[in-house]
Amino acid sequence: MATGILGSADIAANTDTTVYTVPASTFAVVTVSVANRSASNRAVRVALAATGTPGNAEYIEYDAALIGNGVLERGGIVIDAAKKVVVRCDSTDVSVVVYGIETSTV
C-alpha cells in the first residue's frame, strides 16, 4: 500500500481533472492541498466522485475562493475503493497534491 504523495496535477482551466483514484480493495485517508501559483484569485471545486465527472452531491468544495498565492487544504478525508479526487478551477496556475495513506480492506 502506498503512503506519501498519492497524486498531483497542474490543473487546466475549466476542466475536471482526476488527481487520484483509490485502488480496488483499498481505502485511503488523504489530505487534498490546492495551491494557487498566481497573484489573482481563483474559484476551485473539489469532489470525491465515482467517475471523472462529479455529480452535484459529490462536491466537498464548490467554487471556493482561493486567494492569490493562497492554499486551500482539506485533511482527514477517508475515501473508499475506486473513488476519485476530482479538481476543477476557473483558470490556470493551480496545483493539486493528494497525500496520505492507502490501507487494504482484505
Side-chain angles (χ1 to χ4, degrees), residues 18 20-23 48-51 58 79-85:
T18 299
Y20 169 66
T21 302
V22 182
L48 307 178
T51 69
E58 296 178 308
I79 313 171
D80 52 334
K83 291 291 173 100
K84 303 172 183 307
V85 176

Side-chain angles (χ1 to χ4, degrees), residues 8-19 34-35 37 44-45 86-97:
S8 62
D10 182 9
I11 304 300
N14 300 307
T15 303
D16 290 329
T17 302
T18 299
V19 181
V34 184
R37 302 186 321 267
V44 176
R45 299 176 186 181
V86 181
V87 178
R88 182 183 186 99
C89 187
D90 66 340
S91 192
T92 59
D93 298 322
V94 171
S95 301
V96 179
V97 177

Side-chain angles (χ1 to χ4, degrees), residues 21-103:
T21 302
V22 182
S25 301
T26 303
F27 73 91
V29 181
V30 303
T31 297
V32 179
S33 182
V34 184
N36 184 354
R37 302 186 321 267
S38 169
S40 300
N41 293 349
R42 301 288 190 248
V44 176
R45 299 176 186 181
V46 178
L48 307 178
T51 69
T53 306
N56 289 337
E58 296 178 308
Y59 286 98
I60 60 172
E61 296 285 351
Y62 194 88
D63 289 346
L66 183 54
I67 63 170
N69 300 115
V71 174
L72 176 130
E73 192 163 89
R74 293 282 300 260
I77 302 168
V78 180
I79 313 171
D80 52 334
K83 291 291 173 100
K84 303 172 183 307
V85 176
V86 181
V87 178
R88 182 183 186 99
C89 187
D90 66 340
S91 192
T92 59
D93 298 322
V94 171
S95 301
V96 179
V97 177
V98 177
Y99 57 95
I101 185 169
E102 296 173 343
T103 302

